[in-house]
Amino acid sequence: MQALEQKILDEGIVLSDQVLKVDAFLNHQIDPVLMQQIGQEFARRFKNTGITKIITIEASGIAPAVMAGLELGVPVIFARKYQSLTLKDDLYRSKVFSFTKQTESTIAISRKHLAAHDRALVIDDFLANGQAALGLADLIHQANAEVIGIGIVIEKSFQPGRQLLLDQGYRVESLARIESLAEGLVTFVKE
Ligand code: 5GP
């Protein structure tokens, strides 16, 4: 997606050869016009697939997921990063190893928002090792609902997440695919 790639080049900050900071438009300040375009692009790629719900994870998945939900006309559920204080029996839970925090945490969604007939689209801001996406897919499977695909705003294609998800049979649609962050430079996969 050209506008997204240009925004990454203009405003992304390469923190290391593994991590890109996009606080200027996605992870802290949010660019609503770009988010709308992102929502439209996800909707274009997943139109006619019968999606009934979008599932994402707080906080940074919410903006692109809501825009996609608006375009596709379906509700958006964001998994909460679960705390024992809110322990309840009516939750689906999954463990996720966080790439940025390097710790394991539990994510959860309420059982009442997902049903066995749902056809779910997973959306997240970044794809690195695939653990967040797999955790979200696990929540969907616990509800006996179907994962129709995984939509990613920024994929770091040099990390193993994409292949892991493809190997498990998921359709992966990434709007920007980064080939390398080496030497402080962002380069994209040529498609
Ligand atoms: P994964 O679960 O695929 O290993 O990592 C994806 C999650 O880690 C995303 O939800 C995102 O929050 C975070 N993440 C992974 N890589 C980056 C990165 O380079 N920059 C930022 N800002 N977040 C990242």
PDB file of all heavy atoms in Angstrom, residues 18-20 27 99-100 124-132 156, ligand 1:
ATOM      1  N   GLN A  18      15.695  -4.700  14.275  1.00  0.00           N
ATOM      2  CA  GLN A  18      14.529  -5.550  14.534  1.00  0.00           C
ATOM      3  C   GLN A  18      13.244  -4.757  14.790  1.00  0.00           C
ATOM      4  O   GLN A  18      12.150  -5.311  14.685  1.00  0.00           O
ATOM      5  CB  GLN A  18      14.776  -6.422  15.791  1.00  0.00           C
ATOM      6  CG  GLN A  18      16.008  -7.293  15.716  1.00  0.00           C
ATOM      7  CD  GLN A  18      15.813  -8.443  14.755  1.00  0.00           C
ATOM      8  OE1 GLN A  18      14.827  -9.166  14.827  1.00  0.00           O
ATOM      9  NE2 GLN A  18      16.746  -8.623  13.819  1.00  0.00           N
ATOM     10  N   VAL A  19      13.372  -3.500  15.192  1.00  0.00           N
ATOM     11  CA  VAL A  19      12.200  -2.759  15.688  1.00  0.00           C
ATOM     12  C   VAL A  19      12.028  -1.414  14.989  1.00  0.00           C
ATOM     13  O   VAL A  19      12.967  -0.625  14.874  1.00  0.00           O
ATOM     14  CB  VAL A  19      12.311  -2.522  17.217  1.00  0.00           C
ATOM     15  CG1 VAL A  19      11.092  -1.756  17.731  1.00  0.00           C
ATOM     16  CG2 VAL A  19      12.430  -3.844  17.966  1.00  0.00           C
ATOM     17  N   LEU A  20      10.805  -1.192  14.540  1.00  0.00           N
ATOM     18  CA  LEU A  20      10.433   0.075  13.908  1.00  0.00           C
ATOM     19  C   LEU A  20       9.458   0.815  14.816  1.00  0.00           C
ATOM     20  O   LEU A  20       8.502   0.231  15.322  1.00  0.00           O
ATOM     21  CB  LEU A  20       9.738  -0.223  12.567  1.00  0.00           C
ATOM     22  CG  LEU A  20       9.227   0.976  11.787  1.00  0.00           C
ATOM     23  CD1 LEU A  20      10.390   1.808  11.236  1.00  0.00           C
ATOM     24  CD2 LEU A  20       8.321   0.513  10.643  1.00  0.00           C
ATOM     25  N   ASN A  27       1.045   4.099  16.629  1.00  0.00           N
ATOM     26  CA  ASN A  27       1.175   3.555  17.975  1.00  0.00           C
ATOM     27  C   ASN A  27       1.019   4.563  19.110  1.00  0.00           C
ATOM     28  O   ASN A  27       1.059   4.195  20.280  1.00  0.00           O
ATOM     29  CB  ASN A  27       2.533   2.845  18.128  1.00  0.00           C
ATOM     30  CG  ASN A  27       2.595   1.525  17.368  1.00  0.00           C
ATOM     31  OD1 ASN A  27       3.657   1.104  16.941  1.00  0.00           O
ATOM     32  ND2 ASN A  27       1.454   0.865  17.185  1.00  0.00           N
ATOM     33  N   PHE A  99       6.495  -9.577  21.732  1.00  0.00           N
ATOM     34  CA  PHE A  99       7.756  -9.273  21.047  1.00  0.00           C
ATOM     35  C   PHE A  99       8.408  -8.031  21.639  1.00  0.00           C
ATOM     36  O   PHE A  99       9.621  -7.999  21.862  1.00  0.00           O
ATOM     37  CB  PHE A  99       7.489  -9.050  19.555  1.00  0.00           C
ATOM     38  CG  PHE A  99       8.705  -8.652  18.781  1.00  0.00           C
ATOM     39  CD1 PHE A  99       9.593  -9.614  18.330  1.00  0.00           C
ATOM     40  CD2 PHE A  99       8.974  -7.321  18.518  1.00  0.00           C
ATOM     41  CE1 PHE A  99      10.732  -9.254  17.630  1.00  0.00           C
ATOM     42  CE2 PHE A  99      10.108  -6.950  17.825  1.00  0.00           C
ATOM     43  CZ  PHE A  99      10.994  -7.919  17.378  1.00  0.00           C
ATOM     44  N   THR A 100       7.608  -6.993  21.895  1.00  0.00           N
ATOM     45  CA  THR A 100       8.193  -5.725  22.336  1.00  0.00           C
ATOM     46  C   THR A 100       8.555  -5.753  23.829  1.00  0.00           C
ATOM     47  O   THR A 100       9.539  -5.156  24.244  1.00  0.00           O
ATOM     48  CB  THR A 100       7.237  -4.552  22.043  1.00  0.00           C
ATOM     49  OG1 THR A 100       5.910  -4.954  22.309  1.00  0.00           O
ATOM     50  CG2 THR A 100       7.373  -4.090  20.623  1.00  0.00           C
ATOM     51  N   ASP A 124      -3.978  -6.808  13.202  1.00  0.00           N
ATOM     52  CA  ASP A 124      -3.020  -6.272  14.177  1.00  0.00           C
ATOM     53  C   ASP A 124      -2.121  -5.254  13.496  1.00  0.00           C
ATOM     54  O   ASP A 124      -2.044  -5.194  12.268  1.00  0.00           O
ATOM     55  CB  ASP A 124      -2.204  -7.390  14.826  1.00  0.00           C
ATOM     56  CG  ASP A 124      -1.624  -6.961  16.178  1.00  0.00           C
ATOM     57  OD1 ASP A 124      -1.996  -5.881  16.695  1.00  0.00           O
ATOM     58  OD2 ASP A 124      -0.804  -7.704  16.733  1.00  0.00           O
ATOM     59  N   ASP A 125      -1.437  -4.455  14.323  1.00  0.00           N
ATOM     60  CA  ASP A 125      -0.600  -3.391  13.773  1.00  0.00           C
ATOM     61  C   ASP A 125       0.691  -3.938  13.167  1.00  0.00           C
ATOM     62  O   ASP A 125       1.087  -3.529  12.084  1.00  0.00           O
ATOM     63  CB  ASP A 125      -0.298  -2.314  14.841  1.00  0.00           C
ATOM     64  CG  ASP A 125       0.395  -2.856  16.086  1.00  0.00           C
ATOM     65  OD1 ASP A 125       0.364  -4.080  16.328  1.00  0.00           O
ATOM     66  OD2 ASP A 125       0.976  -2.037  16.831  1.00  0.00           O
ATOM     67  N   PHE A 126       1.349  -4.872  13.871  1.00  0.00           N
ATOM     68  CA  PHE A 126       2.636  -5.403  13.414  1.00  0.00           C
ATOM     69  C   PHE A 126       2.597  -6.922  13.389  1.00  0.00           C
ATOM     70  O   PHE A 126       1.901  -7.554  14.192  1.00  0.00           O
ATOM     71  CB  PHE A 126       3.768  -4.990  14.377  1.00  0.00           C
ATOM     72  CG  PHE A 126       4.409  -3.670  14.064  1.00  0.00           C
ATOM     73  CD1 PHE A 126       3.917  -2.497  14.623  1.00  0.00           C
ATOM     74  CD2 PHE A 126       5.505  -3.599  13.220  1.00  0.00           C
ATOM     75  CE1 PHE A 126       4.508  -1.266  14.342  1.00  0.00           C
ATOM     76  CE2 PHE A 126       6.112  -2.380  12.933  1.00  0.00           C
ATOM     77  CZ  PHE A 126       5.610  -1.217  13.492  1.00  0.00           C
ATOM     78  N   LEU A 127       3.383  -7.491  12.494  1.00  0.00           N
ATOM     79  CA  LEU A 127       3.638  -8.937  12.522  1.00  0.00           C
ATOM     80  C   LEU A 127       5.145  -9.141  12.639  1.00  0.00           C
ATOM     81  O   LEU A 127       5.902  -8.683  11.769  1.00  0.00           O
ATOM     82  CB  LEU A 127       3.103  -9.596  11.248  1.00  0.00           C
ATOM     83  CG  LEU A 127       3.356 -11.099  11.077  1.00  0.00           C
ATOM     84  CD1 LEU A 127       2.741 -11.903  12.215  1.00  0.00           C
ATOM     85  CD2 LEU A 127       2.804 -11.586   9.739  1.00  0.00           C
ATOM     86  N   ALA A 128       5.554  -9.802  13.730  1.00  0.00           N
ATOM     87  CA  ALA A 128       6.978 -10.106  13.929  1.00  0.00           C
ATOM     88  C   ALA A 128       7.148 -11.624  13.969  1.00  0.00           C
ATOM     89  O   ALA A 128       7.394 -12.250  12.952  1.00  0.00           O
ATOM     90  CB  ALA A 128       7.476  -9.431  15.205  1.00  0.00           C
ATOM     91  N   ASN A 129       6.924 -12.216  15.163  1.00  0.00           N
ATOM     92  CA  ASN A 129       7.038 -13.681  15.281  1.00  0.00           C
ATOM     93  C   ASN A 129       5.694 -14.385  15.206  1.00  0.00           C
ATOM     94  O   ASN A 129       5.622 -15.611  15.323  1.00  0.00           O
ATOM     95  CB  ASN A 129       7.734 -14.038  16.597  1.00  0.00           C
ATOM     96  CG  ASN A 129       9.190 -13.597  16.586  1.00  0.00           C
ATOM     97  OD1 ASN A 129       9.837 -13.616  15.536  1.00  0.00           O
ATOM     98  ND2 ASN A 129       9.702 -13.174  17.728  1.00  0.00           N
ATOM     99  N   GLY A 130       4.630 -13.624  15.075  1.00  0.00           N
ATOM    100  CA  GLY A 130       3.310 -14.218  14.862  1.00  0.00           C
ATOM    101  C   GLY A 130       2.572 -14.614  16.125  1.00  0.00           C
ATOM    102  O   GLY A 130       1.487 -15.203  16.055  1.00  0.00           O
ATOM    103  N   GLN A 131       3.138 -14.282  17.285  1.00  0.00           N
ATOM    104  CA  GLN A 131       2.534 -14.785  18.526  1.00  0.00           C
ATOM    105  C   GLN A 131       1.206 -14.088  18.864  1.00  0.00           C
ATOM    106  O   GLN A 131       0.270 -14.733  19.337  1.00  0.00           O
ATOM    107  CB  GLN A 131       3.517 -14.637  19.695  1.00  0.00           C
ATOM    108  CG  GLN A 131       4.779 -15.455  19.506  1.00  0.00           C
ATOM    109  CD  GLN A 131       4.468 -16.924  19.217  1.00  0.00           C
ATOM    110  OE1 GLN A 131       3.869 -17.589  20.048  1.00  0.00           O
ATOM    111  NE2 GLN A 131       4.842 -17.405  18.031  1.00  0.00           N
ATOM    112  N   ALA A 132       1.120 -12.796  18.619  1.00  0.00           N
ATOM    113  CA  ALA A 132      -0.141 -12.085  18.890  1.00  0.00           C
ATOM    114  C   ALA A 132      -1.251 -12.614  17.981  1.00  0.00           C
ATOM    115  O   ALA A 132      -2.367 -12.909  18.438  1.00  0.00           O
ATOM    116  CB  ALA A 132       0.055 -10.578  18.695  1.00  0.00           C
ATOM    117  N   LYS A 156       7.029  -7.347   9.299  1.00  0.00           N
ATOM    118  CA  LYS A 156       8.482  -7.404   9.161  1.00  0.00           C
ATOM    119  C   LYS A 156       8.783  -8.785   8.576  1.00  0.00           C
ATOM    120  O   LYS A 156       8.813  -9.791   9.286  1.00  0.00           O
ATOM    121  CB  LYS A 156       9.146  -7.157  10.511  1.00  0.00           C
ATOM    122  CG  LYS A 156       8.979  -5.687  10.961  1.00  0.00           C
ATOM    123  CD  LYS A 156       9.608  -5.430  12.319  1.00  0.00           C
ATOM    124  CE  LYS A 156       8.818  -6.178  13.356  1.00  0.00           C
ATOM    125  NZ  LYS A 156       9.427  -6.042  14.710  1.00  0.00           N
TER     126      LYS A 156
HETATM  127  P1  5GP B   1       4.472 -10.873  17.187  1.00  0.00           P
HETATM  128  O1  5GP B   1       3.416 -11.329  18.145  1.00  0.00           O
HETATM  129  O2  5GP B   1       4.112 -11.106  15.752  1.00  0.00           O
HETATM  130  O3  5GP B   1       5.835 -11.408  17.543  1.00  0.00           O
HETATM  131  O4  5GP B   1       4.609  -9.298  17.380  1.00  0.00           O
HETATM  132  C1  5GP B   1       3.537  -8.485  17.066  1.00  0.00           C
HETATM  133  C2  5GP B   1       3.192  -7.562  18.196  1.00  0.00           C
HETATM  134  O5  5GP B   1       4.375  -6.989  18.763  1.00  0.00           O
HETATM  135  C3  5GP B   1       2.339  -6.422  17.698  1.00  0.00           C
HETATM  136  O6  5GP B   1       1.083  -6.496  18.353  1.00  0.00           O
HETATM  137  C4  5GP B   1       3.076  -5.158  18.079  1.00  0.00           C
HETATM  138  O7  5GP B   1       2.413  -4.532  19.151  1.00  0.00           O
HETATM  139  C5  5GP B   1       4.424  -5.589  18.579  1.00  0.00           C
HETATM  140  N1  5GP B   1       5.527  -5.333  17.635  1.00  0.00           N
HETATM  141  C6  5GP B   1       6.283  -6.259  17.000  1.00  0.00           C
HETATM  142  N2  5GP B   1       7.262  -5.693  16.296  1.00  0.00           N
HETATM  143  C7  5GP B   1       7.123  -4.371  16.452  1.00  0.00           C
HETATM  144  C8  5GP B   1       7.859  -3.245  15.933  1.00  0.00           C
HETATM  145  O8  5GP B   1       8.862  -3.331  15.189  1.00  0.00           O
HETATM  146  N3  5GP B   1       7.396  -2.018  16.296  1.00  0.00           N
HETATM  147  C9  5GP B   1       6.323  -1.851  17.103  1.00  0.00           C
HETATM  148  N4  5GP B   1       5.943  -0.598  17.380  1.00  0.00           N
HETATM  149  N5  5GP B   1       5.608  -2.895  17.608  1.00  0.00           N
HETATM  150  C10 5GP B   1       6.015  -4.132  17.286  1.00  0.00           C
END
